[in-house]
Every structure is written in structure tokens, then in C-alpha cells.
Amino acid sequence: MAAAAIGQGATVAPRLLAQLDGRTARQAPAQPLGVRLDRIRAGMKGVIERGTAASAFRCAGCTALRAGLYGKTGTAPVADDATVWFTGWLEPGTLPGQRHRLAFAVFVSRSEAGGGDHAAPVIAALLSSLAEPRTEGKMAMLIGQ
């Protein structure tokens, strides 16, 4: 939700269902964050282009994704290993059939690597598979179109 709010510039309330029993689910009104986000967004773009997640997004299917991709890695040492994560968003139109901003987060416990080496490649694999033309129907299912 934090990455989605930074991308959107306002609070984002998740919905589990778009509708139930023929009734459309209500969406909570977004509240502007009221803070400058340009530097945070630039930093998250830098993570993808030259930072801790850059190597994960150099895959063959990731070239087209990088233009609309923003992210942040994290690594928290715990005992002999670490808890790692990668979170961010993909701008609308980056994937075939994508009409809305797509926020994501991956969390890995007991990792011997960092967030850029262990969690970011999970998103890279998922997004690059969605970018393939034969998966356009999967994208519609993923974002509820």
C-alpha cells in the first residue's frame, strides 16, 4: 500500500472483490498525501535503473518494463540470515492491456541474499511473463478487468 500511495500520490485502499452478488464494491475515496514525492519516485526509479534491483531487471523480457517500473529493495538481518523484500509499482500501459497502475510487494524470510538478489527477481519473472503477448488474458485477470 505504501508503494501504491507513492505512485498514486494519494492513499490507496485495497479491494478484495470488484463486486459481490451483482453489487459493485465501494471504493474508499483517496486522500492526497500532501507531501512532495518527486525525490522518492526518483530514488525508486534509480533502484531499477542502477541500484540494488538493477540486475534483476536486465532479463531479456524486462527491457520494455523498465520504463514504467519503480521499486525499493529491503534487507533486514535476522540471526544467521535475513528477511528481504521488494516493493514498487508499474505505470499504466507498461504491460499489454494494462489500464491501471499495478502495485506489488514480495517478502522472503530466511534469505541468504539481499532484497535485490532474492525478492526483486520474483517480480522480474512475474512481470516479464505478463509482458509476453500470449499472456494478455492473464493480465486482465490479474488486475480485474
Side-chain angles (χ1 to χ4, degrees), residues 12-45:
V12 176
R15 286 189 310 179
L16 296 177
L17 299 171
Q19 62 178 319
L20 179 63
D21 296 331
R23 295 181 308 197
T24 301
R26 283 192 229 153
Q27 187 139 358
Q31 301 296 319
L33 297 180
V35 296
R36 283 186 57 188
L37 297 172
D38 55 329
R39 290 183 181 172
I40 296 171
R41 290 176 180 151
M44 293 177 78
K45 183 50 115 174

Side-chain angles (χ1 to χ4, degrees), residues 32-126:
L33 297 180
V35 296
R36 283 186 57 188
L37 297 172
D38 55 329
R39 290 183 181 172
I40 296 171
R41 290 176 180 151
M44 293 177 78
K45 183 50 115 174
V47 167
I48 301 299
E49 293 175 351
R50 60 192 172 283
T52 52
S55 63
F57 293 98
R58 288 193 185 111
C59 63
C62 293
T63 303
L65 297 173
R66 285 194 299 267
L69 187 62
Y70 294 77
K72 176 69 180 99
T73 61
T75 304
V78 180
D80 295 332
D81 48 36
T83 296
V84 301
W85 63 91
F86 179 68
T87 187
W89 74 89
L90 194 63
E91 286 294 318
T94 306
L95 293 171
Q98 179 195 2
R99 296 185 306 166
H100 305 283
R101 186 172 286 110
L102 177 65
F104 52 79
V106 172
F107 172 88
V108 180
S109 62
R110 297 189 172 171
S111 175
E112 294 181 7
D117 298 321
H118 199 165
V122 173
I123 291 295
L126 174 67

